Amino acid sequence: MDEVAKKIQRKGVNANAKECDINRNVFNEKGDNKRGVEMTRTRYKYMRDYKIDSDTEKKILDFCRTAKGEEQEDVLAACVEANKYIAHYIFLNLITGVGYDRMSRIYFIPVQKVDFQGYRRLAMKKLRDLRLKKEEESG
């Protein structure tokens, strides 16, 4: 056996692959960046990652469905903050409840379903934060 084959047997193929990923600074769901802060892509974050339980999620959705006037502006602002390129699709989803699959039959949505849902969850988190901030300011 030559020396390279011995190295592969000792270290394993995956050890070198992990090393390369760290050197290239790939941000995957378990990877860390150079500063030591864990970075997770938006598509892999769920409501529990934003510290939102299912009851609060339902309240946010109910708020979005019944929002009028200035409340809808808050919903739109949260959608734009989440992703300005698909904000109008996220807004449509939150206000009317029309899903990604149905919208994609009518409109060209430039992201995959998983990404869309991730940005939708992020918009809901931003909306919750915005509403909490407004409540603190008002009283």
Side-chain angles (χ1 to χ4, degrees):
M1 243 191 234
D2 63 339
E3 199 170 309
V4 176
K6 287 180 184 176
K7 267 188 182 179
I8 290 173
Q9 277 186 338
R10 265 186 274 132
K11 291 186 176 181
V13 177
N14 291 335
N16 289 337
K18 287 177 188 173
E19 218 172 272
C20 292
D21 282 350
I22 292 168
N23 291 337
R24 285 185 306 165
N25 202 14
V26 173
F27 300 126
N28 56 20
E29 69 182 299
K30 295 180 183 175
D32 291 359
N33 66 5
K34 289 182 181 177
R35 294 184 204 107
V37 178
E38 188 172 316
M39 302 292 289
T40 304
R41 294 178 62 178
T42 303
R43 72 188 314 180
Y44 297 124
K45 284 197 175 186
Y46 294 93
M47 298 309 278
R48 67 179 176 270
D49 298 321
Y50 296 125
K51 310 286 190 270
I52 298 176
D53 60 352
S54 61
D55 293 334
T56 308
E57 181 182 359
K58 288 176 187 172
K59 287 178 186 175
I60 294 169
L61 285 174
D62 288 341
F63 172 81
C64 292
R65 302 284 194 276
T66 60
K68 301 286 184 220
E70 189 177 315
E71 294 172 343
Q72 280 190 347
E73 290 176 11
D74 291 344
V75 174
L76 182 60
C79 294
V80 169
E81 229 179 294
N83 186 324
K84 64 182 178 182
Y85 300 107
I86 60 168
H88 48 290
Y89 299 119
I90 297 170
F91 178 75
L92 179 66
N93 175 272
L94 290 175
I95 295 297
T96 63
V98 175
Y100 175 88
D101 294 329
R102 182 174 265 171
M103 275 193 292
S104 65
R105 290 184 206 144
I106 301 167
Y107 309 108
F108 170 73
I109 303 174
V111 295
Q112 293 178 357
K113 185 176 182 176
V114 177
D115 295 317
F116 179 83
Q117 291 169 340
Y119 287 119
R120 179 180 175 271
R121 290 186 291 265
L122 180 61
M124 290 172 62
K125 180 229 184 251
K126 301 267 185 194
L127 179 63
R128 183 201 60 177
D129 294 346
L130 181 67
R131 298 301 296 171
L132 287 175
K133 185 178 176 185
K134 282 192 172 190
E135 287 176 9
E136 287 176 2
E137 289 175 359
S138 65

